[in-house]
Amino acid sequence: MKALKETFLPNYRYQDYIHWEGDWELIGGIAYAMSPAPTIEHQEINSKIVYQLMSKLKDCKNCKVLPKVDWKIDEETVVRPDTLVVCNLSGKKEYLDKTPELIFEVLSPSTKNKDRNLKSLLYATNGVKYYVLVEPAGKFAEVYKLENGKYYLEGEFKEQSYTFEIDTCKIEFSFKEIFEGI
């Protein structure tokens, strides 16, 4: 596979990425278009995720909720999760360069395979403690927790809550709230 990449595929870097128009992610030097734009349902669910996380973390001095921010993992990898929580962030930068504790991805038909496979592996390799895949079509979410470098399914949630333990904070997250009215 490495020979294939070196021979036939372009290899982009962060300096290329910052000049592109539109929404892109860069994984291992390969460009991935993030189009078409997310549906209204996708955006509504993500907004509810952001609101709930911000409400739950309002008293936490260490953790921040960031929707749609570039996470620069290295010179060849920049991703933009739907929503993430990062703790103990220092300094002001144009992008995030610290591993998030928690990432939510709201699945879209065009990116579902990448989110389930490539990004799951990427996030596990980089130490993201919790990875949550939200499926709007079925109105459920899968919560994965990192243990020994691999993700293990904690459960599938529709109306239940799950407690995320990050840094010094505990987040009792209600999945029912993100699907209500959808």
Side-chain angles (χ1 to χ4, degrees):
M1 179 69 172
K2 186 173 172 142
L4 175 68
K5 179 180 168 186
E6 290 173 357
T7 305
F8 298 106
L9 299 175
N11 189 5
Y12 297 106
R13 299 184 61 76
Y14 181 72
Q15 287 305 314
D16 302 312
Y17 171 85
I18 60 174
H19 298 290
W20 296 341
E21 293 183 21
D23 289 332
W24 294 86
E25 288 185 314
L26 180 63
I27 301 175
I30 299 171
Y32 292 88
M34 294 173 56
S35 59
T39 64
I40 292 171
E41 182 181 56
H42 178 114
Q43 296 293 57
E44 187 176 6
I45 289 170
N46 197 54
S47 294
K48 289 179 177 189
I49 291 167
V50 171
Y51 176 77
Q52 188 174 166
L53 289 171
M54 290 182 97
S55 296
K56 303 284 182 171
L57 289 171
K58 69 180 182 222
D59 296 326
C60 179
K61 305 290 185 223
N62 298 331
C63 302
K64 294 185 182 292
V65 178
L66 302 173
K68 296 284 185 187
V69 66
D70 285 347
W71 173 26
K72 181 182 173 190
I73 297 171
D74 59 38
E75 287 301 316
E76 292 186 340
T77 304
V78 183
V79 291
R80 189 178 300 159
D82 286 319
T83 301
L84 60 82
V85 175
V86 63
C87 303
N88 304 305
L89 194 58
S90 62
K92 294 189 184 240
K93 296 183 179 167
E94 295 175 12
Y95 53 82
L96 179 66
D97 62 358
K98 183 177 189 325
T99 299
E101 297 286 325
L102 168 62
I103 290 180
F104 279 81
E105 291 283 10
V106 181
L107 299 176
S108 299
S110 62
T111 62
K112 185 183 293 194
N113 188 46
K114 181 178 67 163
D115 290 341
R116 282 197 173 281
N117 298 294
L118 183 59
K119 283 180 141 184
S120 178
L121 180 62
L122 179 68
Y123 295 162
T125 301
N126 285 279
V128 176
K129 186 173 182 180
Y130 295 101
Y131 185 35
V132 183
L133 295 170
V134 180
E135 176 59 78
K139 294 186 178 41
F140 68 89
E142 299 166 348
V143 174
Y144 293 89
K145 185 175 180 184
L146 189 66
E147 291 180 20
N148 300 317
K150 292 178 75 176
Y151 281 124
Y152 292 92
L153 181 64
E154 292 283 286
E156 190 177 283
F157 299 85
K158 288 185 174 220
E159 295 189 4
Q160 308 89 331
S161 292
Y162 181 83
T163 303
F164 297 100
E165 296 182 19
I166 56 174
D167 195 56
T168 59
C169 305
K170 287 187 178 183
I171 305 167
E172 182 73 24
F173 191 88
S174 168
F175 287 94
K176 181 179 180 179
E177 288 181 28
I178 67 170
F179 295 120
E180 281 182 334
I182 302 286

